[in-house]
Amino acid sequence: MIIAHYANRVPRNHDLGFIRALTKERAPIWDVRPELYFKAFMLREAGRFGALANCFSSLYLWRHDTAYRDWLVSGGYKIVTDPFGRSDIETRFALDARKGGAHDARFAATEDLAIPLDADLTAAFAREIARNREIAVLSDTVVAIVGVDTQNWTFTRILLSATEPNVNESTVVWPLLHLARPLLDTLPKAGER
């Protein structure tokens, strides 16, 4: 599984209604996208949830790298680059992804953690996978994921939740505009091995 995430800063005076309308227009396409577990359409607004600026963002969990590649080469990213320009797309390998018991995601929380240089990687991976499985069983969890960036040696923790998550200073909270979930229900459920 591949996690892909990008964010576009939006000027304070930009009409956020345009972003909401674009999401509403594009969401049905993503609701049936093959090889996609989910796509979260997210919007941070300046002054809310610690945001200093407006930011439109998308977070994906792809089933296979070829599906992600096909989306890129078919022009799927053009809908974003035309109005907002080209942002870096952060990609991660998913170490574990679990469907929780909650259904209606309202928030995403993301957190990046550096993996210490001298860490035992096997043990670190095992700890993060175990932690992710503990988060997945919480009653407000829709999806819990942990990924790894092996270029920068960081873990990325992702939580989609029905309620505003409890966070620390390194966590970014993203209110969701829409969650397209074509294959989300096929993810392993919390508590499954």
Side-chain angles (χ1 to χ4, degrees), residues 64-99:
H64 302 288
D65 63 339
T66 53
Y68 173 56
R69 183 217 50 206
D70 290 350
W71 170 73
L72 282 174
V73 301
S74 70
Y77 192 44
K78 185 174 175 27
I79 192 76
V80 175
T81 59
D82 284 354
F84 300 110
R86 184 170 51 186
S87 292
D88 293 339
I89 301 176
E90 298 175 0
T91 57
R92 307 285 189 264
F93 294 102
L95 299 174
D96 190 62
R98 299 281 154 175
K99 182 182 178 310

Side-chain angles (χ1 to χ4, degrees), residues 3 38 59 108-111 132 143-146 156-160:
I3 302 163
F38 71 80
L59 173 67
T110 60
E111 180 182 15
N132 191 67
V143 180
I145 306 166
V146 62
T156 297
R157 296 172 175 171
I158 298 169
L159 170 66
L160 301 185

Side-chain angles (χ1 to χ4, degrees), residues 9-10 12 16 43-56 169 171-175:
R9 287 186 82 132
V10 181
R12 277 192 183 264
L16 298 181
L43 178 63
R44 283 174 54 92
E45 296 180 57
R48 298 189 67 215
F49 302 104
L52 299 176
N54 295 331
C55 189
F56 176 61
E169 68 240 9
T171 306
V172 179
V173 175
W174 301 86

Side-chain angles (χ1 to χ4, degrees), residues 20 37 46 52 63-64 80 85-86 92 95 104 114 140 154 161 165 178 184:
R20 289 183 176 91
Y37 287 108
L52 299 176
R63 190 173 189 180
H64 302 288
V80 175
R86 184 170 51 186
R92 307 285 189 264
L95 299 174
D104 297 319
D140 58 350
T154 58
S161 64
H178 179 75
L184 188 135

Side-chain angles (χ1 to χ4, degrees), residues 78-152:
K78 185 174 175 27
I79 192 76
V80 175
T81 59
D82 284 354
F84 300 110
R86 184 170 51 186
S87 292
D88 293 339
I89 301 176
E90 298 175 0
T91 57
R92 307 285 189 264
F93 294 102
L95 299 174
D96 190 62
R98 299 281 154 175
K99 182 182 178 310
H103 188 271
D104 297 319
R106 294 183 46 237
F107 295 94
T110 60
E111 180 182 15
D112 290 322
L113 296 108
I115 302 171
L117 180 62
D118 295 325
D120 175 332
L121 290 176
T122 303
F125 292 151
R127 277 191 305 274
E128 282 299 311
I129 290 168
R131 179 198 174 279
N132 191 67
R133 292 177 180 185
E134 290 172 7
I135 299 298
V137 299
L138 299 177
S139 63
D140 58 350
T141 298
V142 176
V143 180
I145 306 166
V146 62
V148 65
D149 171 357
T150 56
Q151 180 176 3
N152 298 303

